[in-house]
């Protein structure tokens, strides 16, 4: 049924506005009828000085920028291609982008709440009007069509910040989503880089191991010749044979590791492993970037920390939204159109109707539910602050641990370099003795075998250092910053 509205065109304008103003004043006065509960003190975020970070001297930045590709510093086109494909094809990043799109839709919805809404409609109902009703004959007791066509305008005034709180909460959630996406991208790029460098280390190890096996086989052949000549015995032969099975076993392990790393890279970059069958990364000596320790800007570069901070902001605006529910909701509606009994009279001047009036809603007897909502929102703030504090602690610990590992591996490399230098010096000495006719080829091979073993250990340290540096880059937030 279509509502009939009285025609207000003949009512003096002053008489119309005075009751509206009185009603609005009464609504504002009655707002005190919805008491707002007293909340306990909110949880506090960890201060940087508590964690040994420098004191903050400037306000925390508030605008997010997307990170540059930190991995390009390695200057490896193959790695660039794999990481770019990973970031483009990753299901987890696609899900993160979908969450951002949803948050942006919520922002648009919050913005729309502060705009004037305009609508239009047409209704037509064929019905019987009863004799005993407000419709006199000939309408009472007859079958007729009740029709209405009109336009409506509605505006909801944001006197108490409800719309602003909704918008700010949606903005905070969207920013948290952007930071989550950046955190996922950073994690994925670091995982790909570590796997790529690990594959390079395994392949380099396989090259040294193959050379080691070849020299052990050459040494075994010389021992066999010496046994035939009576210069060595069966025990010497068994001693020369014993390293080969272990070296061949290590070769099988390296082949298995290379296959697993190629499969991991293929899975991360969403492609078939056969596409990476010929992938052969070359290990750089070190990452061409300075390894800085965790400073205050760590909290502005770690996307997971920034996401947690934005969730604290969004939760604070949710409290403001819950608090605004205790105040009156004031809106203004206007309509104009035609309403008539019978379609033939619908657009006649006598069918014209229009109206204008406020709508006031007071939370007089619903404060129990509103109080629960407010207290629940305050608890969400405490939970968000606790999550932020946990993210800060994890970030500082993670960055400190990775930096400590990098420093330790660098010290180990210096000691390993001394061992390798000693082994190379011993090999040079044996080679000089062999060239002077004072030694045999077997001594040279044994000495060079020690060099290869030290080179393999140095290669392991180099690979571990590179992977730890990538982990440090991740722990420091890459180049992603506010």
């Amino acid at each position: 049924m279509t509502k009939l509205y009285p025609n207000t065109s003949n009512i003096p304008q002053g008489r119309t506005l005075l009751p509206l103003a009185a009603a609005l004043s009464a609504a504002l006065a009655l707002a005190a009828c919805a008491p707002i509960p007293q909340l306990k003190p909110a949880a506090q975020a960890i201060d940087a000085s508590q964690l040994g970070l420098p004191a903050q001297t400037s306000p925390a930045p508030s605008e997010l920028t997307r990170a540059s590709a930190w991995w390009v510093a390695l200057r490896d086109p193959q790695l660039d291609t794999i990481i770019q494909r990973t970031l483009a094809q990753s299901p987890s990043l696609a899900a993160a982008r979908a969450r951002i799109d949803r948050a942006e839709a919520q922002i648009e919805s919050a913005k729309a709440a502060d705009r004037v809404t305009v609508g239009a409609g047409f209704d037509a109902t064929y019905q019987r009007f009863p004799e005993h009703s407000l419709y006199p004959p000939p309408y009472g007791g007859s079958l007729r069509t009740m029709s209405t066509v009109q336009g409506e305008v509605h505006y909801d005034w944001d006197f108490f910040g409800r719309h602003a709180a909704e918008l700010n909460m949606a903005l905070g959630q969207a920013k948290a989503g952007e930071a989550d996406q950046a955190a996922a991208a950073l994690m994925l790029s670091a995982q790909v880089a570590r796997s790529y460098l690990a594959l390079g280390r395994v392949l380099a190890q396989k090259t040294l191991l193959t050379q080691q096996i070849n020299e052990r086989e050459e040494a075994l052949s010389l021992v066999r010749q010496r046994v035939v000549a009576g210069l060595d015995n069966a025990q010497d032969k068994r001693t020369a044979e014993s390293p080969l099975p272990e070296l061949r076993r290590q070769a099988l392990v390296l082949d298995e590791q290379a296959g697993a790393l190629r499969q991991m890279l293929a899975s991360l970059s969403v492609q078939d492993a056969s596409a990476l069958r010929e992938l052969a990364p070359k290990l750089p000596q070190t990452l061409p970037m300075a390894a800085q320790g965790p400073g205050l800007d760590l909290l502005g570069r770690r996307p997971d920390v920034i996401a947690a901070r934005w969730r604290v902001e969004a939760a604070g605006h949710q409290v403001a939204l819950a608090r605004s529910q205790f105040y009156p909701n004031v809106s203004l509606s206007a309509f104009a159109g035609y309403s008539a009994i019978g379609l033939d009279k619908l657009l006649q001047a006598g069918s014209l109707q229009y109206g204008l009036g406020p709508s006031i809603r007071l939370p007089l007897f619903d404060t129990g539910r509103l109080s629960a909502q407010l207290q629940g929102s305050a608890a969400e703030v405490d939970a968000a602050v606790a999550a932020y504090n946990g993210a800060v602690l994890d970030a500082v610990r993670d960055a400190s641990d990775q930096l400590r590992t990098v420093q330790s591996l660098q010290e180990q490399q210096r000691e390993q370099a001394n061992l390798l230098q000693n082994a190379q010096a011993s090999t040079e000495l044996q080679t000089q003795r062999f060239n002077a006719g004072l030694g045999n080829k077997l001594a040279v091979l044994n000495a060079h075998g020690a060099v290869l073993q030290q080179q393999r250990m140095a290669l392991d340290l180099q690979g571990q250092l590179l992977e730890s540096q990538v982990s440090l880059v991740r722990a420091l937030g890459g180049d992603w910053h506010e």
Side-chain angles (χ1 to χ4, degrees):
M1 292 290 294
T2 303
K3 294 181 180 179
L4 294 179
Y5 297 91
N7 192 321
T8 61
S9 58
N10 296 322
I11 299 178
Q13 191 67 19
R15 294 183 181 180
T16 303
L17 295 180
L18 286 175
L20 296 180
L24 182 59
S25 301
L28 296 177
L30 286 172
C33 296
I36 302 176
Q38 186 70 27
L39 299 176
K40 66 178 182 180
Q44 298 298 316
I46 289 179
D47 187 78
S49 60
Q50 294 178 249
L51 305 177
L53 300 178
Q56 190 166 358
T57 57
S58 59
S62 59
E63 295 299 326
L64 303 177
T65 59
R66 202 172 289 276
S68 61
W70 62 268
W71 58 88
V72 298
L74 290 170
R75 298 181 181 179
D76 191 328
Q78 291 184 116
L79 177 60
D80 294 346
T81 300
I82 294 176
I83 291 183
Q84 289 168 2
R85 180 183 176 90
T86 298
L87 299 182
Q89 301 290 333
S90 170
S92 60
L93 284 182
R97 285 190 288 269
R99 288 192 292 270
I100 293 175
D101 292 340
R102 182 177 61 188
E104 289 176 348
Q106 292 174 345
I107 291 174
E108 291 304 315
S109 177
K111 289 180 178 178
D114 201 32
R115 298 170 184 161
V116 175
T117 59
V118 180
F122 170 75
D123 296 311
T125 305
Y126 185 68
Q127 67 180 71
R128 181 184 185 277
F129 292 90
E131 292 86 348
H132 305 292
S133 68
L134 59 87
Y135 299 101
Y139 298 108
S142 65
L143 290 171
R144 296 178 184 271
T145 300
M146 184 71 176
S147 56
T148 302
V149 58
Q150 71 179 22
E152 297 180 354
V153 178
H154 180 84
Y155 181 70
D156 189 2
W157 266 296
D158 191 23
F159 284 117
F160 303 104
R162 182 179 294 111
H163 298 163
E166 289 177 346
L167 178 58
N168 289 329
M169 184 174 66
L171 287 170
Q173 292 170 347
K175 291 297 185 181
E178 291 177 8
D180 284 336
Q181 182 185 15
L186 178 60
M187 186 68 69
L188 279 173
S189 61
Q191 189 174 1
V192 170
R194 283 175 56 89
S195 299
Y196 184 85
L197 294 172
L199 178 59
R201 176 183 58 81
V202 167
L203 295 179
Q205 281 280 6
K206 181 65 182 297
T207 299
L208 289 176
L209 183 59
T210 300
Q211 186 178 352
Q212 208 172 1
I213 291 174
N214 292 337
E215 290 192 0
R216 285 299 88 201
E217 289 177 344
E218 184 180 356
L220 176 59
S221 177
L222 290 175
V223 170
R224 285 171 177 169
Q225 294 174 16
R226 290 172 62 85
V227 170
V228 172
L231 299 176
D232 286 333
N233 55 33
Q235 181 61 40
D236 295 324
K237 178 183 175 182
R238 283 192 292 270
T239 300
E241 291 173 342
S242 61
L244 284 170
E246 173 59 22
L247 294 176
R248 295 189 181 110
R249 185 196 68 81
Q250 293 177 16
L252 294 174
V253 171
L254 291 176
D255 288 340
E256 187 273 335
Q257 290 178 352
L261 288 168
R262 284 195 172 93
Q263 182 62 54
M264 178 177 291
L265 287 170
S267 177
L268 289 171
S269 56
V270 194
Q271 57 183 318
D272 187 70
S274 61
L276 302 179
R277 187 181 296 114
E278 304 301 324
L279 181 64
K282 302 296 183 182
L283 280 185
Q285 289 301 314
T286 184
L287 286 182
M289 56 182 64
Q292 301 294 332
L296 180 62
D297 59 341
L298 169 67
L299 306 185
R301 284 186 282 116
R302 286 269 302 214
D304 55 338
V305 174
I306 296 171
R309 193 174 73 209
W310 275 114
R311 288 192 172 89
V312 173
E313 295 286 338
H317 293 300
Q318 185 177 358
V319 171
L321 176 61
R323 191 184 301 275
S324 70
Q325 301 297 325
F326 285 85
Y327 299 103
N329 183 19
V330 181
S331 61
L332 179 65
S333 299
F335 66 90
Y338 296 90
S339 181
I341 299 177
L343 289 175
D344 56 333
K345 300 179 181 179
L346 178 60
L347 299 180
Q348 295 181 4
S351 301
L352 176 64
Q353 66 173 11
Y354 55 85
L356 172 68
S359 175
I360 303 172
R361 298 291 182 268
L362 301 176
L364 299 180
F365 304 105
D366 198 23
T367 55
R369 180 179 63 87
L370 296 180
S371 296
Q373 289 179 351
L374 179 59
Q375 292 169 353
S377 298
E380 289 292 335
V381 172
D382 291 343
V385 170
Y388 170 77
N389 290 341
V392 170
L393 292 173
D394 288 343
V396 175
R397 176 196 53 76
D398 187 15
S400 300
D401 288 349
Q402 299 301 336
L403 179 61
R404 191 179 302 110
T405 299
V406 167
Q407 293 171 342
S408 174
L409 288 171
Q410 288 172 337
E411 293 175 0
Q412 293 178 51
Q413 274 191 321
R414 287 190 285 270
E415 297 300 329
Q416 180 60 37
N418 293 332
L419 293 175
L420 178 58
Q421 185 177 4
N422 291 338
Q424 289 172 336
S426 177
T427 300
E428 291 176 3
L429 179 61
Q430 292 297 338
T431 301
Q432 292 172 4
R433 288 174 56 84
F434 175 71
N435 293 334
L438 301 177
N440 55 34
K441 182 67 176 294
L442 186 59
V444 175
L445 291 174
N446 289 335
H448 193 256
V451 171
L452 290 175
Q453 188 63 31
Q454 292 300 327
Q455 286 178 338
R456 289 186 61 190
M457 294 176 66
L459 183 60
D460 269 339
L461 285 174
Q462 180 188 356
Q464 292 177 40
L465 177 59
L466 288 170
E467 293 179 40
S468 296
Q469 286 176 320
V470 170
S471 296
L472 178 59
V473 170
R474 175 199 53 76
L476 294 175
D479 291 334
W480 197 92
H481 59 282
E482 285 196 320

